[in-house]
């Protein structure tokens, strides 16, 4: 197959309500929404670059919305001294009671690891942060960052390795915690942006963006989406091998878990943490 040509495959399986979209052409999939030319689609639609300089960052959003989906994006993060910068990649609906599933990559000084920040909002309520170091240099090559969102759970994975699972516990927690909701009724678009957040991103804002290193560039490739009106077949509970990988990541690379932050929640951890 000639990967140099624009690709767009659409398979509609009406018996299972499953729509599979695999595309290698950003012209078909996204709109660059801000940045005044700092976001660019390259290589006949095969790659997309976002740029940040001292004037502005840039961003894009998907043309389609998804209600339950498997989303894959290959990303190569800003190399070198990326302190103060944030590369965001997330799904979100709109409005004050929006749902959102987040990856944010917090830049750092050269030689220090990126922090991969994850969060989940439902009905406008977030505060479900988990953070990880990566076990590779994410600036040297493209790596695949995925979200598998079904009616029963949300799985974050990196190069096919699960790093976080957030389960739908609404039935269990109904009447126990009125602040607990699960994203299940609002379709979401995919968004990505590269922006300056040196007031908080690196060491709590102690390390500022070095604009002499600008422009900062993050690259994107091989976007794909599998959208389903029901569950994603075969993408529910982790198998034993995936569960072992999940525990390996959490043991060795997790650096923050809201479910372990008793200082933040002195009146008791959120109900879904128990």
């Amino acid at each position: 197959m000639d990967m140099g040509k624009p690709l767009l495959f659409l398979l509609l399986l009406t018996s299972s309500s499953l729509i599979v979209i695999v595309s290698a052409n950003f012209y078909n999939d996204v709109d660059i929404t801000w940045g005044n030319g700092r976001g660019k689609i390259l290589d006949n639609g095969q790659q997309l670059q976002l740029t940040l300089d001292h004037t502005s960052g840039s961003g894009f959003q998907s043309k389609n919305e998804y209600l339950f989906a498997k989303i894959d994006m290959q990303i190569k993060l800003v190399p070198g001294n990326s302190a103060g910068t944030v590369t965001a990649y997330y799904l979100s609906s709109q409005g004050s009671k929006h749902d959102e599933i987040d990856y944010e990559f917090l830049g750092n000084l050269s030689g220090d690891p990126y922090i991969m920040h994850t969060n989940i909002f439902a009905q406008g309520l977030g505060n479900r942060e988990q953070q990880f170091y990566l076990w590779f240099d994410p600036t040297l090559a493209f790596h695949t960052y995925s979200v598998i969102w079904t009616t029963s759970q949300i799985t974050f994975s990196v190069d096919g390795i699960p790093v976080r699972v957030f389960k739908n516990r609404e039935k269990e927690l109904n009447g126990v915690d009125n602040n607990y909701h699960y994203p299940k009724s609002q379709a979401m678009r995919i968004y990505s942006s590269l922006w300056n957040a040196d007031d908080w991103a690196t060491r709590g804002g102690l390390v500022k963006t070095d604009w002499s290193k600008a422009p900062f560039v993050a690259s994107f490739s091989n976007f794909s989406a599998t959208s389903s009106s029901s569950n994603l077949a075969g993408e529910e509970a982790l198998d034993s091998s995936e569960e072992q990988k999940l525990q390996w990541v959490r043991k060795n690379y997790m650096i923050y878990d809201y479910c372990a932050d008793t200082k933040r929640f002195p009146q008791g951890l959120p109900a879904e943490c128990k």
Side-chain angles (χ1 to χ4, degrees), residues 78 109 116:
V78 175
L109 296 170
M116 183 176 70

Side-chain angles (χ1 to χ4, degrees), residues 29-272:
D29 300 323
V30 307
D31 295 311
I32 295 175
T33 50
W34 64 283
N36 194 24
R38 291 173 179 82
K40 296 180 180 180
I41 297 175
L42 306 171
D43 298 335
N44 295 318
Q46 305 301 296
Q47 288 195 31
L48 188 153
Q49 286 187 347
L50 294 181
T51 299
L52 166 68
D53 59 30
H54 69 282
T55 302
S56 177
S58 50
F60 66 85
Q61 69 180 45
S62 64
K63 295 180 184 291
N64 294 324
E65 293 182 323
Y66 304 92
L67 182 61
F68 308 119
K70 181 178 187 293
I71 307 297
D72 298 313
M73 184 77 78
Q74 290 194 340
I75 306 174
K76 183 163 62 173
L77 296 175
V78 175
N81 183 357
S82 58
T85 72
V86 172
T87 304
Y89 157 57
Y90 60 101
L91 290 85
S92 182
S93 59
Q94 299 298 309
S96 60
K97 293 189 175 182
H98 74 292
D99 295 341
E100 189 170 323
I101 305 169
D102 287 350
Y103 283 98
E104 289 184 314
F105 301 94
L106 313 184
N108 217 329
L109 296 170
S110 298
D112 289 343
Y114 263 83
I115 292 174
M116 183 176 70
H117 176 99
T118 66
N119 201 359
I120 295 166
F121 288 75
Q123 297 295 305
L125 299 175
N127 298 323
R128 297 185 175 99
E129 301 92 342
Q130 292 183 353
Q131 295 183 337
F132 306 84
Y133 288 139
L134 294 167
W135 50 95
F136 53 84
D137 186 337
T139 72
L140 297 179
F142 285 97
H143 292 270
T144 303
Y145 302 90
S146 305
V147 170
I148 304 171
W149 171 34
T150 75
T151 56
S152 62
Q153 67 183 35
I154 297 166
T155 304
F156 297 75
S157 70
V158 178
D159 290 338
I161 297 174
V163 298
R164 179 177 185 179
V165 175
F166 182 80
K167 294 184 180 295
N168 181 355
R169 299 179 63 189
E170 282 193 324
K171 290 183 179 179
E172 176 187 350
L173 297 177
N174 183 32
V176 177
D177 185 353
N178 292 329
N179 291 322
Y180 178 86
H181 304 281
Y182 183 84
K184 65 180 187 301
S185 59
Q186 300 184 59
M188 296 193 261
R189 294 187 190 276
I190 299 156
Y191 297 86
S192 189
S193 58
L194 175 58
W195 51 291
N196 178 47
D198 66 2
D199 57 333
W200 65 270
T202 306
R203 298 181 186 175
L206 294 177
V207 181
K208 302 299 183 181
T209 303
D210 182 354
W211 293 111
S212 71
K213 306 298 184 183
F216 304 100
V217 178
S219 301
F220 301 78
S221 183
N222 288 334
F223 164 72
S224 69
T226 305
S227 180
S228 173
S229 61
S230 57
N231 285 342
L232 288 161
E235 297 289 359
E236 287 296 316
L238 302 183
D239 62 27
S240 59
S241 174
E242 291 171 326
E243 183 65 32
Q244 288 180 351
K245 292 175 182 177
L246 173 68
Q247 296 308 320
W248 172 77
V249 170
R250 297 176 72 81
K251 177 181 178 181
N252 295 287
Y253 296 98
M254 175 181 278
I255 59 172
Y256 178 79
D257 180 5
Y258 77 107
C259 279
D261 194 344
T262 55
K263 291 184 179 179
R264 181 180 178 185
F265 301 103
Q267 303 304 317
L269 295 171
E272 73 258 27

Side-chain angles (χ1 to χ4, degrees), residues 9-28:
F9 299 99
L10 177 63
L11 173 61
L12 177 60
L13 304 176
T14 55
S15 61
S16 61
S17 301
L18 180 66
I19 299 175
V20 180
I21 301 173
V22 180
S23 175
N25 195 314
F26 282 106
Y27 287 116
N28 295 329

